Amino acid sequence: MIVFLLIVHSLLAVALLGAITHQTISAWAPASRGAAGSFIARMRAVPPTSYVNAVLVLYALTALLGAIIYPSYRLNVRIVLEQMQLYIPNGAFELKEHFVALGLGMLPAYWYFWRAPHVAEYGRTRAILTALLAFIVWWGFVVGHILNNIRGFDL
Amino acid sequence: MSDAVAISKFVIAFAVAYAVLYVLSVQYNLALFTYHAATEEFHLLVQPTNDGPAMYWYGWLATSTLGALAIAALVSWLPVVSAKRLWHGCAWTVPLVVMVVFVFMLRRYFVR
């Protein structure tokens, strides 16, 4: 069951990664009008507001699943990391845990400032909140992936 | 006071209060409850390790969420706190500073 939940957690994280990365790129480097239809230009041209609900739902679901499988990590993985004296992966996961928690606290503000995308005054706040969430999601994804590579599924 | 102003004050105050309460909860272990993973038991407030490791993360989340909800509700309700006084950039500056604080707090894992 834990393996199944871990895979679903990873798949949700991939979807979240795609959504928040597209939104961050389009918020920080929006395509100019009439830009050529290259891959990069199309990525910059996506409407950032269309990702807000997806990011909110995916972040909450990914964090929830992470919280459900966390005890298994605490019992089966972290103890091994400590025994193997793998301090950096252990510390990276500790940071992931705290960054994800802080991201949860930023979600209401993220939702609010994207609710009124026409208010130019909030432009910087919107972009930075999105970038911070993108950093947290990328950090969580890479660290989770590395730890899974170290320990495997423990089948 | 319009709903929009109240919501604006609420979300900014929540982001700030949550980040500050979370780092304080971790630093001083102010978990609302403890989860013992090995025995799958929840206990109110901070409990020491028993058969297996004690997990405080869920308790820290609960402490910061409930505390931040109360503070944000108070701030959005109080007319003395104007929306202009509450800079919207606080919603990202405070969490960003707290993230840096965590890197500092956990530096022992990376610097040996």
Side-chain angles (χ1 to χ4, degrees), chain B residues 51-68:
Chain B
D51 289 340
M55 296 180 69
Y56 304 113
W57 186 67
Y58 307 107
W60 295 332
L61 285 177
T63 305
S64 1
T65 304
L66 293 178

Side-chain angles (χ1 to χ4, degrees), chain B residues 23-77:
Chain B
V23 72
L24 291 176
S25 300
V26 174
Q27 180 65 21
Y28 299 105
N29 201 5
L30 306 173
L32 202 59
F33 54 85
T34 304
Y35 179 64
H36 288 105
T39 52
E40 298 180 3
E41 287 173 350
F42 284 95
H43 296 279
L44 206 58
L45 301 177
V46 174
Q47 301 294 331
T49 299
N50 52 23
D51 289 340
M55 296 180 69
Y56 304 113
W57 186 67
Y58 307 107
W60 295 332
L61 285 177
T63 305
S64 1
T65 304
L66 293 178
L69 278 173
I71 292 170
L74 194 68
V75 167
S76 60
W77 175 71

Side-chain angles (χ1 to χ4, degrees), chain A residues 7-43:
Chain A
I7 291 171
V8 177
H9 175 64
S10 313
L11 292 174
L12 286 172
V14 170
L16 175 60
L17 202 64
I20 194 85
T21 304
H22 273 89
Q23 192 186 31
T24 307
I25 291 169
S26 63
W28 281 88
S32 53
R33 274 171 194 261
S38 70
F39 173 75
I40 301 291
R42 284 201 302 274
M43 210 158 73

Side-chain angles (χ1 to χ4, degrees), chain A residues 63 66-72 74-75 78-79 82 86-92 94-95 97-106 108-109 111-113 115 121-126 128-129 132 135-136 139, chain B residues 3-5 7-12 14-16 18-20 22-23 26 35 37-39 52-55 57-58 60-61 87-93 95-96 98-100 102-104 106 108-110 112:
Chain A
I68 291 170
I69 58 179
Y70 188 22
S72 176
R74 187 69 186 82
L75 290 173
R78 185 171 157 175
I79 292 169
E82 285 168 354
L86 292 171
Y87 300 113
I88 292 176
N90 211 351
E94 293 285 306
L95 278 178
E97 160 191 71
H98 297 312
F99 286 172
V100 168
L102 289 170
L104 284 170
M106 286 189 275
W111 163 78
Y112 177 78
F113 291 116
R115 212 178 58 137
E121 186 193 348
Y122 296 151
R124 178 60 58 88
T125 295
R126 263 194 306 270
I128 296 177
L129 276 172
L132 271 178
F135 171 78
I136 290 168
W139 181 273
Chain B
D3 284 351
V5 173
I7 295 172
S8 161
K9 284 162 63 174
F10 183 90
V11 296
I12 297 168
F14 183 86
V16 171
Y18 179 93
V20 173
Y22 183 76
V23 72
V26 174
Y35 179 64
T39 52
M55 296 180 69
W57 186 67
Y58 307 107
W60 295 332
L61 285 177
W87 177 52
H88 51 83
C90 290
W92 61 265
T93 44
L96 179 62
V98 171
M99 284 169 75
V100 175
F102 272 113
V103 173
F104 181 76
L106 297 171
R108 69 181 190 281
Y109 285 104
F110 305 98
R112 289 192 165 262

